[in-house]
Amino acid sequence: MEKILEVKDLCKTYISDKRQNNVLRNVSFTVSEGEMVAIMGPSGSGKSTLLYSVSGMDKLTSGEVKFCGRDISKLSDNELAALRLDDMGFIFQQMYMLKNLTVLDNIILPACRSDKISESRSETVKRGEDLMRRLGIIETANNDINEVSGGQLQRACICRSMINDPKMIFADEPTGALNRTSSEEVMDELAKLNADGTTIVLVTHDAKVAAKCTRVLFIEDGSIKGEYSLEKYTDPSKLRERERSLNAWLMEMGW
């Protein structure tokens, strides 16, 4: 399978009050097309910083990150912005949406800003509606964002992340602000996207979420201490078994 993300000796250091804080230390890993990779670790271990660094949202201190063969550390700010808009999708714990737009308009906004896709507005709207239908929220298309539930809004964020047909989706605690039912619904949708071929890298503290992934990276004190591989998630009846085996491994890692 084609390697979409290649990370080599990534370091990220912050300077605060003349003191050096090494948040990431010589991190190396790859993500291939079709994988769904979870990044787990204790609070403050560098999970989110790693996600932001490899997606070009945060600058590297040293090391190399290649996304589809392009070294993101050598791209200009405008080139990075275009790469994130056209070839990456993002889902966050906080569901950032523009309050003056409807749910559908929020979803299609990235497509309206992109030079990658050449189509009429009606074609863009149809694609947005098709994504909403696929995720079971088409009835909220014309609602304001404060008129829908948290689970519906996060599914709208998934639709938005998919609107430009990205090479990879990055998700930072995508279920962290949801109740258990909504969390399971959102993770089921992400698992379906992955089953259809979408590559996903997500940060989570929830083993039940990570158990639906194909690989788990455990990070502690800014370094990857180990990784755990799973089969592609296709059978919900095996989820508890997957979760138990993952939890056993996490305990071995000091979780």
Side-chain angles (χ1 to χ4, degrees):
M1 289 187 292
E2 179 188 357
K3 288 185 175 64
I4 294 183
L5 185 65
E6 300 174 81
V7 182
K8 184 177 180 181
D9 297 328
L10 169 61
C11 295
K12 178 63 182 179
T13 300
Y14 293 105
I15 305 296
S16 178
D17 296 328
K18 299 183 180 180
R19 298 178 64 181
Q20 185 170 292
N21 182 14
N22 299 312
V23 182
L24 298 174
R25 309 162 187 257
N26 301 111
V27 173
S28 298
F29 66 96
T30 63
V31 178
S32 297
E33 185 178 13
E35 281 196 284
M36 185 169 177
V37 179
I39 301 171
M40 300 189 74
S43 297
S45 59
K47 301 185 298 295
S48 293
T49 300
L50 177 58
L51 190 80
Y52 296 157
S53 296
V54 301
S55 61
M57 288 192 288
D58 205 352
K59 291 190 178 296
L60 321 179
T61 300
S62 64
E64 183 178 81
V65 175
K66 287 185 177 180
F67 185 86
C68 295
R70 301 175 70 187
D71 186 347
I72 68 171
S73 66
K74 296 180 179 178
L75 300 181
S76 68
D77 288 344
N78 286 340
E79 288 172 328
L80 269 175
L83 180 69
R84 290 193 298 263
L85 178 63
D86 293 338
D87 295 319
M88 299 177 181
F90 294 91
I91 307 166
F92 302 98
Q93 179 175 346
Q94 299 302 321
M95 303 153 213
Y96 300 108
M97 292 273 189
L98 296 179
K99 295 180 180 179
N100 59 325
L101 299 180
T102 64
V103 173
L104 176 59
D105 284 340
N106 268 285
I107 288 170
I108 66 173
L109 182 60
C112 298
R113 301 284 297 175
S114 175
D115 295 328
K116 173 184 174 181
I117 300 171
S118 177
E119 62 186 5
S120 66
R121 177 175 171 81
S122 62
E123 290 172 324
T124 302
V125 168
K126 182 180 183 305
R127 287 198 303 111
E129 289 174 339
D130 287 344
L131 283 169
M132 295 186 77
R133 201 169 283 110
R134 179 177 173 184
L135 270 83
I137 55 169
I138 186 61
E139 72 280 1
T140 69
N142 295 316
N143 287 28
D144 292 337
I145 63 169
N146 60 355
E147 295 176 334
V148 297
S149 69
Q152 289 173 321
L153 198 57
Q154 193 62 299
R155 278 181 277 172
C157 290
I158 295 174
C159 293
R160 182 178 61 185
S161 76
M162 291 293 295
I163 194 67
N164 284 345
D165 192 22
K167 299 283 196 309
M168 180 180 289
I169 289 178
F170 294 95
D172 188 13
E173 297 282 8
T175 63
L178 304 176
N179 61 35
R180 174 54 69 182
T181 299
S182 294
S183 173
E184 290 176 356
E185 290 173 353
V186 165
M187 273 309 301
D188 283 343
E189 297 300 343
L190 289 175
K192 288 176 187 175
L193 291 178
N194 179 245
D196 290 340
T198 302
T199 309
I200 301 172
V201 175
L202 63 89
V203 166
T204 185
H205 66 276
D206 190 336
K208 192 164 188 175
V209 168
K212 295 182 179 180
C213 297
T214 55
R215 188 154 52 104
V216 179
L217 304 179
F218 186 82
I219 185 171
E220 187 174 37
D221 297 329
S223 299
I224 293 178
K225 302 297 186 182
E227 66 174 70
Y228 188 78
S229 295
L230 294 152
E231 297 293 328
K232 181 81 79 171
Y233 175 69
T234 56
D235 186 352
S237 69
K238 294 183 178 179
L239 180 59
R240 287 188 178 180
E241 179 185 339
R242 291 167 68 96
E243 188 179 355
R244 279 196 298 268
S245 64
L246 176 58
N247 271 318
W249 177 76
L250 287 170
M251 289 183 66
E252 291 176 7
M253 299 301 299
W255 178 253

